[in-house]
């Protein structure tokens, strides 16, 4: 059975103490979560090393990075390469998050370069896609998401989405406290899954579709058990361990 995948993105939050507490929390609650959900922790780069040991011990846990450079090495001050992430035992890498598209002007072209670089390095790209409020009002959500997906399909490899994750995150919902309607999310993800399936040359394997955007302990229930929601990308919800744990418990039910 495919277990839900939960990626907990700490963004630019947390410090040495936060992540030590998180490590204790994960060790303590391991039995309740493992076998029911696959959890991936995504701290800032500088704290990845802290998780290396525990990742090896627990199968249900993986590490995610919040970004990657398009080069593997060289004179690129301030960047982190896919090979360095592999050294830190990272499995998944977020790309195309709207905070990077908006604040760092990341283009579709750059995002697809990152996507293929990660695949070549045997890392899992977590491609974040989603529409603005304006696009939603104009009923363009599915069209916009398909365009973001098509950028990746432009490559010669028609099986590009095997061993990957797509996180649908409406931009208007990220960090705003306004989550999308679970029924609508189910419809959007169902349509996107069919779209990708039809475009792939062979069957779609080891592929996850996540929802992200203002998930919290009160709304998580209404998203769980929807056929096409394979898991969640959490932001603010993981900053408070109590509510983070409640969410994990509900997902693991
Ligand atoms: P949020 O963030 O849960 O705080 O809305 C989600 C995300 O940015 O992935």
């Amino acid at each position: 059975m495919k277990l839900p995948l939960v990626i907990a993105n700490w963004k630019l939050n947390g410090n040495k103490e936060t992540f030590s507490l998180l490590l204790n929390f994960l060790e303590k609650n391991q039995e309740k979560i493992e076998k029911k959900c696959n959890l991936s922790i995504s701290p800032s780069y500088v704290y990845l090393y802290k998780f290396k040991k525990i990742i090896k011990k627990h199968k249900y846990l993986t590490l995610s990075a919040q970004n990657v450079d398009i080069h593997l090495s060289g004179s690129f001050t301030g960047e982190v390469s896919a090979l360095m992430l592999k050294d830190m035992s990272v499995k998944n890498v977020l790309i195309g998050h709207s905070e990077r598209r908006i604040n760092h002007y990341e283009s579709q072209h750059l995002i697809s370069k990152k996507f293929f670089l990660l695949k070549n390095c045997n890392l899992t790209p977590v491609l974040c896609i989603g529409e603005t409020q304006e696009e939603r009002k104009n009923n363009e959500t599915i069209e916009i998401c398909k365009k973001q997906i098509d950028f990746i399909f432009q490559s010669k490899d028609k099986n590009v989405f095997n061993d990957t994750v797509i996180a649908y995150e409406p931009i208007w919902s990220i960090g705003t406290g306004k989550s999308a309607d679970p029924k609508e999310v189910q419809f959007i993800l169902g349509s996107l899954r069919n779209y990708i399936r039809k475009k792939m040359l062979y069957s779609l394997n080891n592929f996850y579709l996540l929802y992200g955007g203002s998930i919290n302990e009160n709304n998580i229930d209404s998203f769980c058990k929807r056929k096409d929601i394979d898991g969640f990308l959490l932001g603010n919800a993981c900053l408070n361990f109590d509510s983070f744990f409640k969410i994990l418990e509900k997902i693991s039910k």
Side-chain angles (χ1 to χ4, degrees), residues 141-157:
T141 299
I142 293 186
E143 195 188 318
I144 292 293
C145 292
K146 282 182 181 171
K147 265 195 197 150
Q148 291 168 337
I149 288 169
D150 280 344
F151 242 88
I152 307 294
F153 267 127
Q154 277 170 17
S155 82
K156 286 197 190 91
D157 177 6

Side-chain angles (χ1 to χ4, degrees), residues 7-245:
I7 303 180
N9 179 11
W10 261 264
K11 306 189 182 185
L12 191 61
N13 296 298
N15 54 30
K16 222 165 59 181
E17 282 74 38
T18 314
F19 293 112
S20 298
L21 285 173
L22 177 66
L23 280 167
N24 291 339
F25 163 87
L26 292 172
E27 295 274 30
K28 220 174 75 197
N29 292 295
Q30 175 219 332
E31 277 177 27
K32 292 187 191 152
I33 306 169
E34 70 176 349
K35 296 193 186 122
K36 290 180 188 144
C37 135
N38 289 321
L39 175 62
S40 197
I41 301 295
S42 183
S44 153
Y45 285 143
V46 294
Y47 301 111
L48 286 169
Y49 74 96
K50 268 182 137 337
F51 292 87
K52 232 183 130 170
K53 258 198 211 147
I54 162 168
I55 292 299
K56 292 220 164 96
K57 271 203 315 207
H58 300 294
K59 267 198 167 160
Y60 80 102
L61 267 181
T62 56
L63 260 185
S64 294
Q66 297 178 18
N67 188 25
V68 66
D69 189 45
I70 51 169
H71 304 96
L72 288 181
S73 65
S75 304
F76 302 101
T77 303
E79 298 298 342
V80 171
S81 79
L83 298 178
M84 293 168 181
L85 296 179
K86 283 189 86 157
D87 258 356
M88 290 296 117
S89 305
V90 163
K91 181 174 186 296
N92 313 306
V93 182
L94 305 183
I95 54 172
H97 192 288
S98 62
E99 286 156 11
R100 292 210 62 86
R101 290 185 197 247
I102 296 166
N103 301 333
H104 299 268
Y105 311 104
E106 290 199 358
S107 64
Q108 296 277 19
H109 181 66
L110 183 92
I111 294 161
S112 64
K113 264 194 173 172
K114 290 185 180 188
F115 185 97
F116 290 106
L117 174 109
L118 292 170
K119 289 210 87 184
N120 286 339
C121 291
N122 282 326
L123 286 162
T124 305
V126 180
L127 175 68
C128 303
I129 60 171
E131 83 287 5
T132 61
Q133 181 72 276
E134 185 70 18
E135 289 160 344
R136 175 183 145 82
K137 275 196 197 135
N138 296 337
N139 263 328
E140 292 170 339
T141 299
I142 293 186
E143 195 188 318
I144 292 293
C145 292
K146 282 182 181 171
K147 265 195 197 150
Q148 291 168 337
I149 288 169
D150 280 344
F151 242 88
I152 307 294
F153 267 127
Q154 277 170 17
S155 82
K156 286 197 190 91
D157 177 6
K158 289 289 169 258
N159 293 306
V160 277
F161 283 104
N162 283 335
D163 305 308
T164 68
V165 178
I166 290 184
Y168 166 62
E169 301 205 295
I171 297 168
W172 52 268
S173 166
I174 295 177
T176 60
K178 277 189 271 167
S179 65
D181 180 273
K183 266 196 221 142
E184 262 178 46
V185 173
Q186 162 55 38
F187 178 74
I188 294 163
L189 295 194
S191 312
L192 296 179
R193 195 188 300 276
N194 281 339
Y195 183 70
I196 293 169
R197 263 200 196 125
K198 279 192 192 139
K199 284 204 152 190
M200 296 272 287
L201 209 52
Y202 303 111
S203 61
L204 184 57
N205 295 317
N206 197 21
F207 171 72
Y208 287 80
L209 266 175
L210 311 184
Y211 167 74
S214 295
I215 284 288
N216 59 43
E217 58 186 282
N218 301 317
N219 62 20
I220 185 70
D221 273 336
S222 52
F223 286 91
C224 289
K225 314 277 186 264
R226 303 260 168 187
K227 185 164 84 43
D228 286 291
I229 306 181
D230 300 326
F232 301 94
L233 180 48
L234 308 178
N236 280 333
C238 48
L239 301 182
N240 175 317
F241 289 168
D242 272 347
S243 83
F244 179 40
F245 184 63

